[in-house]
């Protein structure tokens, strides 16, 4: 009982300060990088198409830099959360196990209870060792995966040749109401071509538009909304 603070409370308090506190700091860094990236992305989408090509290229370079910093912060945040989740499985239970062991040793009248607890204690020790071993191997695998993602030459892009692709839903008014029509859209940055295909009416063909920048793509979608309501889900 006198050693309860050292055996039980102090280790839990240490875990709270070192592990959970570190996770909070990583989250602050993630939130900061996320805010910077989203602000840069918003400014990028609002760029005028009348800007010089050199200025637009510089804006593209800046947003790529902010995206990489955001991805790095995201990886570190996920890695830290995974580490805390795995560590708490044994660093929470081990102090409790040590406290109970000392309690059973100290109280002679608790000998019978301790004897009954022995099989469970052995099984728990075995499970704890397995959990610790699994944590070490899992941590190494996660570190390898994080380093492999960081060392990639380019950010992940969906399979295919497109910079952006996804579905655009267009609401068309009918005499008896309205209906949503799904279109599959792609944007090729190299040729600056925007293609929209009706996925529900294959005979409708494709609409192909030459664009000078992504800014014109957003303006095209806004212009489409004047006559039709639409909702867009493009991924890049």
């Amino acid at each position: 009982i006198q050693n309860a603070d050292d055996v039980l409370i102090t280790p839990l308090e240490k875990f709270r300060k070192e592990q959970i506190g570190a996770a909070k700091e990583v989250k602050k860094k993630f939130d900061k990088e996320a805010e910077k990236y989203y602000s840069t992305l918003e400014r990028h989408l609002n760029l005028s198409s009348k800007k010089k090509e050199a200025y637009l290229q510089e804006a593209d370079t800046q947003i790529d830099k902010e995206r990489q910093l955001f991805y790095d912060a995201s990886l570190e945040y996920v890695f830290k959360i995974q580490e805390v989740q795995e560590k708490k499985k044994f660093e929470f239970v081990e102090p409790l196990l040590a406290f109970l062991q000392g309690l059973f040793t100290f109280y002679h009248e608790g000998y019978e209870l301790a004897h009954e607890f022995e099989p469970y204690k052995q099984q728990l020790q075995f499970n704890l060792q397995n959990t610790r071993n699994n944590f070490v191997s899992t941590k190494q695998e996660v570190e390898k995966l994080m380093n492999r993602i960081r060392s990639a030459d380019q950010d992940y892009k969906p399979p295919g040749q497109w910079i952006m692709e996804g579905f655009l839903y267009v609401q068309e008014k009918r005499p008896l109401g309205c209906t949503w029509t799904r279109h599959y859209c792609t944007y090729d940055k190299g040729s600056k071509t925007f293609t929209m295909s009706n996925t529900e009416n294959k005979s409708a063909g494709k609409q192909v538009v030459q664009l000078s920048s992504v800014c014109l793509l957003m303006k095209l979608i806004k212009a489409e909304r004047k006559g039709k309501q639409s909702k867009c889900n493009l991924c890049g």
Side-chain angles (χ1 to χ4, degrees):
I1 298 298
Q2 294 177 349
N3 296 329
D5 187 75
D6 294 335
V7 175
L8 182 60
I9 304 301
T10 300
L12 296 180
E13 186 67 14
K14 180 180 178 182
F15 179 85
R16 182 188 67 82
K17 292 180 179 180
E18 295 181 356
Q19 299 301 322
I20 299 180
K24 289 181 178 180
E25 292 299 322
V26 174
K27 184 180 185 300
K28 289 180 181 179
K29 179 182 177 181
F30 167 77
D31 291 339
K32 181 179 178 181
E33 294 298 335
E35 183 178 357
K36 289 173 58 179
Y37 173 64
Y38 293 144
S39 298
T40 304
L41 184 62
E42 184 177 359
R43 291 196 302 270
H44 187 74
L45 292 177
N46 292 328
L47 285 177
S48 173
S49 59
K50 297 180 181 180
K51 296 287 186 181
K52 294 182 179 180
E53 185 66 21
Y55 184 86
L56 296 177
Q57 290 179 356
E58 182 179 356
D60 288 343
T61 302
Q62 180 64 26
I63 199 172
D64 288 339
K65 179 181 178 181
E66 293 296 338
R67 183 189 295 113
Q68 186 60 49
L69 292 175
F70 171 69
Y71 284 171
D72 287 342
S74 301
L75 288 171
E76 291 178 3
Y77 184 38
V78 173
F79 175 76
K80 190 60 182 179
I81 290 177
Q82 190 272 342
E83 183 180 24
V84 173
Q85 290 291 337
E86 293 297 323
K87 270 193 170 183
K88 73 178 184 181
K89 294 179 181 179
F90 53 86
E91 291 202 6
F92 266 48
V93 183
E94 282 180 340
L96 180 60
L97 180 62
F99 173 76
L100 292 177
Q101 181 62 40
L103 188 65
F104 292 146
T105 303
F106 181 78
Y107 289 108
H108 178 72
E109 59 270 21
Y111 173 78
E112 292 296 332
L113 180 60
H115 183 70
E116 295 176 2
F117 182 77
E118 189 65 23
Y120 173 75
K121 188 189 71 173
Q122 293 178 355
Q123 182 63 39
L124 184 57
Q125 288 176 329
F126 176 78
N127 293 339
L128 283 170
Q129 186 61 43
N130 288 338
T131 303
R132 182 181 290 275
N133 294 337
N134 292 336
F135 164 76
V136 173
S137 59
T138 303
K139 180 180 178 180
Q140 293 174 350
E141 292 177 1
V142 174
E143 286 179 336
K144 290 180 180 179
L145 178 60
M146 182 177 67
N147 293 331
R148 187 172 63 184
I149 294 176
R150 281 180 168 174
S151 63
D153 293 333
Q154 295 180 348
D155 296 334
Y156 171 79
K157 292 183 174 57
Q161 58 179 328
W162 313 112
I163 298 301
M164 299 178 66
E165 59 181 332
F167 292 100
L168 174 69
Y169 288 81
V170 180
Q171 187 185 68
E172 300 180 357
K173 294 183 179 180
R174 301 292 176 85
L176 299 179
C178 60
T179 182
W180 287 97
T181 304
R182 187 172 74 165
H183 296 75
Y184 175 70
C185 303
T186 60
Y187 174 69
D188 183 6
K189 186 176 182 180
S191 62
K192 299 179 180 179
T193 303
F194 174 69
T195 305
M196 185 167 65
S197 305
N198 190 328
T199 60
E200 299 177 5
N201 183 7
K202 297 183 178 179
S203 62
K206 297 182 178 179
Q207 299 182 39
V208 181
V209 180
Q210 291 294 127
L211 302 173
S212 61
S213 68
V214 180
C215 301
L216 288 182
L217 170 60
M218 303 307 297
K219 290 184 178 181
L220 178 65
I221 295 175
K222 292 180 180 178
E224 187 75 13
R225 291 176 177 170
K226 292 182 179 180
K228 301 177 183 179
Q229 295 182 355
S230 65
K231 53 184 179 180
C232 180
N233 181 18
L234 294 178
C235 60

